Amino acid sequence: MRKLLLFLMLGITHWGYAQKTPNVVLIYADDLGYGDLGCYGATKISTPNLEKLAKEGIRFTNGHSSSATCTPSRYALMTGEYPWRKQGTGVLPGDAALIIPTNRLTLPALFRKAGYRTGMVGKWHLGLGGAVEKNWNEDIKPGPNETGFDYSFIFPATADRVPTVFMENHRVLGLDAADPIVVDYNKKVGNDPTGKDNPELLKMKASPNHGHNQTIVNGIGRIGYMSGGTKARWTDEEVPLTFLQKAKDFIQTNQKRPFFLFYSLTEPHVPRMPSTIFKGKSSLGYRGDVILQLDWAVGEIRKELELRGLSKNTILIFTSDNGPVLDDGYEDEAVTKQNGHLPAGPLRGGKYSAYEGGTRVPWLMSWPGRIKPGVSDALICQIDLIASFADLLRQPLAATDAPDSYNLMNALLGKTKQGRQVLVQQGGALSLVKNNWKYIAPNKDIPFNKLTGIETGNAEAPQLYNLSTDISEKNNLAEKHPEKVKELSGLLQQIKTE
Ligand code: NG6
Ligand code: CA
């Protein structure tokens, strides 16, 4: 009898999942800061679609990317492994080889094991192929399709890095045998003008001393050299619209089965080049305009889910790969039209920084009927998605899978406000957060980057902040609490050597 009861109970909980195997759409912004959205306190910009999402789901106030730049954050999100454990996970050039080992369990591979169709649309930036040298005019493997995605529509690296082309699965779109693509990050190839030699051809100037002065594509100087592929080159104003359409197509194609969609936006990363309908719409220059555009795209995805009758049974996650930056190398008025807007809100630092502005990012999560709307201060990190979804999908993890990922599904679903006890954050320096105490390891690099105008968090002495009373990391308590410094630095050392 007891056995029967147990069987029935298990059956019911299982049935709860089986009947409702939810689709999962992960929307990942690029360089969007903690203070960039109305629901996180922005007053100079209005982001109604994200506002609505925040009201209908959980708004996390202590959600983190693993790192303060893109490639390592994405590596952590995909693998559940701290990126600083692995060499070569820093910001990658556009011709880099794939850095995710193809035998590693990844977030999309986990969904695939659970019977999902998996799709990746948008910015990739984790490398492609087995080596730097590759022929862009042929199939390129391994890439997203070898690391868990059934379908991919991507651009290889960042919007400011060549090649400025789209790829569908293994192939660049719009290839032309008579005009082959050549990419080089060391020397100029072909005859395309460069920002360095022909600045008069630029429609958006590069900031002095920043770089972004190599091959010019669409009047914008890029990082890296490229020739050929004239028909394959994207139009900057159309990039987000193209990704949006491909994301919608993926939803439509897979509406009858559970799917996982990783929709990885390019906004508000540089070069910020809004679509015509968004140009000048905000009062904050192009950076504000592309944030409006990003908000609109979130609304469009939600409409698509609604249209297909999928809204109720879809988990929507919205977050960002690292904190914000105003001047990231182009004169696009982000600084001159800042207009009092604080992209990191109350946080110190921003992109590249060990301070909270580097990794504490917007994080919204909704699942109608299953997630009760609210606000949560649980400490969560994108590295935890893999172990958390392994739990929801009832997929066992091997000991070597996702080694740094914690199962925080209960926190993600709002059933508890207990998140991680301990998190290692990566700016230039590593930090360790435990129970709202934050220790930043000493680091000899520059404390302030003049080009980006960002405090890096580097200091030769240890730093200790009490985030529960000092979210802006103003008071370094290291000298006052040497025992805390010792405890947290010891713990960081221990985790590093695990
Ligand atoms: C930097 C670029 C910056 C941006 C960043 C990567 C310069 C001076 N700066 O090297 O513009 O592309 O790399 O951003 O070239 S991320 O969000 O993909 O990490
Ligand atoms: Ca980024």
Side-chain angles (χ1 to χ4, degrees), residues 28-32 67-71 73-74 91 123 125 158 265-267 269 320-323 325 328 351:
Y28 207 39
D30 191 1
D31 297 0
L32 188 74
S67 313
T69 52
C70 164
T71 301
S73 290
R74 284 159 206 260
V91 175
K123 172 178 179 172
H125 212 186
T158 60
L265 310 172
T266 177
E267 300 107 312
H269 194 281
S320 172
D321 68 342
N322 53 252
V325 53
D328 212 11
K351 183 176 179 177

Side-chain angles (χ1 to χ4, degrees), residues 25-168:
V25 178
L26 168 59
I27 308 181
Y28 207 39
D30 191 1
D31 297 0
L32 188 74
Y34 191 75
D36 272 326
L37 303 177
C39 50
Y40 284 89
T43 55
K44 307 280 179 187
I45 190 157
S46 159
T47 45
N49 291 294
L50 286 157
E51 220 78 349
K52 189 161 176 280
L53 185 61
K55 283 211 183 82
E56 292 170 10
I58 302 185
R59 183 171 69 83
F60 289 94
T61 58
N62 203 2
H64 291 257
S65 56
S66 79
S67 313
T69 52
C70 164
T71 301
S73 290
R74 284 159 206 260
Y75 179 85
L77 179 137
M78 284 283 285
T79 65
E81 180 183 46
Y82 279 132
W84 42 262
R85 292 198 192 282
K86 194 177 146 79
Q87 284 271 312
T89 53
V91 175
L92 291 177
D95 60 352
L98 177 71
I99 58 168
I100 299 175
T102 48
N103 58 359
R104 205 173 227 311
L105 182 76
T106 62
L107 184 62
L110 175 84
F111 279 101
R112 194 144 78 175
K113 267 182 28 184
Y116 280 59
R117 279 277 297 177
T118 56
M120 152 95 217
V121 174
K123 172 178 179 172
W124 174 240
H125 212 186
L126 289 164
L128 291 167
V132 170
E133 297 72 32
K134 57 183 126 299
N135 187 344
W136 289 92
N137 308 284
E138 294 174 350
D139 278 7
I140 298 176
K141 295 176 191 175
N145 298 59
E146 287 66 43
T147 46
F149 290 108
D150 296 313
Y151 172 78
S152 66
F153 186 98
I154 60 165
F155 67 48
T158 60
D160 56 347
R161 283 174 174 75
V162 301
T164 52
V165 296
F166 294 118
M167 292 182 71
E168 191 160 33

Side-chain angles (χ1 to χ4, degrees), residues 59-323:
R59 183 171 69 83
F60 289 94
T61 58
N62 203 2
H64 291 257
S65 56
S66 79
S67 313
T69 52
C70 164
T71 301
S73 290
R74 284 159 206 260
Y75 179 85
L77 179 137
M78 284 283 285
T79 65
E81 180 183 46
Y82 279 132
W84 42 262
R85 292 198 192 282
K86 194 177 146 79
Q87 284 271 312
T89 53
V91 175
L92 291 177
D95 60 352
L98 177 71
I99 58 168
I100 299 175
T102 48
N103 58 359
R104 205 173 227 311
L105 182 76
T106 62
L107 184 62
L110 175 84
F111 279 101
R112 194 144 78 175
K113 267 182 28 184
Y116 280 59
R117 279 277 297 177
T118 56
M120 152 95 217
V121 174
K123 172 178 179 172
W124 174 240
H125 212 186
L126 289 164
L128 291 167
V132 170
E133 297 72 32
K134 57 183 126 299
N135 187 344
W136 289 92
N137 308 284
E138 294 174 350
D139 278 7
I140 298 176
K141 295 176 191 175
N145 298 59
E146 287 66 43
T147 46
F149 290 108
D150 296 313
Y151 172 78
S152 66
F153 186 98
I154 60 165
F155 67 48
T158 60
D160 56 347
R161 283 174 174 75
V162 301
T164 52
V165 296
F166 294 118
M167 292 182 71
E168 191 160 33
N169 299 318
H170 300 115
R171 238 179 150 72
V172 170
L173 235 70
L175 284 174
D176 177 358
D179 184 27
I181 297 172
V182 180
V183 173
D184 204 303
Y185 271 73
N186 296 316
K187 58 176 193 312
K188 188 175 179 221
V189 287
N191 297 319
D192 284 270
T194 62
K196 181 164 176 278
D197 295 337
N198 292 93
E200 75 285 358
L201 298 179
L202 297 173
K203 73 172 175 185
M204 185 158 64
K205 275 203 219 154
S207 311
N209 309 321
H210 257 276
H212 291 132
N213 61 3
Q214 297 173 338
T215 302
I216 298 175
V217 180
N218 302 327
I220 300 173
R222 314 280 164 163
I223 307 175
Y225 299 99
M226 167 178 189
S227 72
T230 313
K231 288 183 194 154
R233 296 181 187 196
W234 70 54
T235 301
D236 292 84
E237 283 84 341
E238 282 183 356
V239 170
L241 304 182
T242 308
F243 286 152
L244 174 62
Q245 190 55 48
K246 293 292 169 184
K248 285 182 175 176
D249 291 350
F250 179 82
I251 293 172
Q252 189 194 340
T253 310
N254 296 291
Q255 56 183 303
K256 296 251 154 42
R257 47 204 303 184
F259 60 80
F260 167 63
L261 170 63
F262 182 21
Y263 177 33
S264 166
L265 310 172
T266 177
E267 300 107 312
H269 194 281
V270 297
R272 297 152 187 147
M273 189 46 65
S275 311
T276 307
I277 46 174
F278 287 99
K279 276 187 180 152
K281 247 194 140 183
S282 76
S283 56
L284 304 177
Y286 280 178
R287 184 172 186 278
D289 296 347
V290 298
I291 292 175
L292 297 186
Q293 179 171 293
L294 161 170
D295 178 71
W296 169 79
V298 171
E300 289 300 296
I301 290 293
R302 299 199 75 191
K303 271 193 214 158
E304 184 67 28
L305 292 168
E306 192 70 52
L307 184 71
R308 310 283 161 210
L310 300 173
S311 288
K312 259 206 103 136
N313 195 28
T314 299
I315 297 179
L316 211 63
I317 307 169
F318 176 88
T319 184
S320 172
D321 68 342
N322 53 252

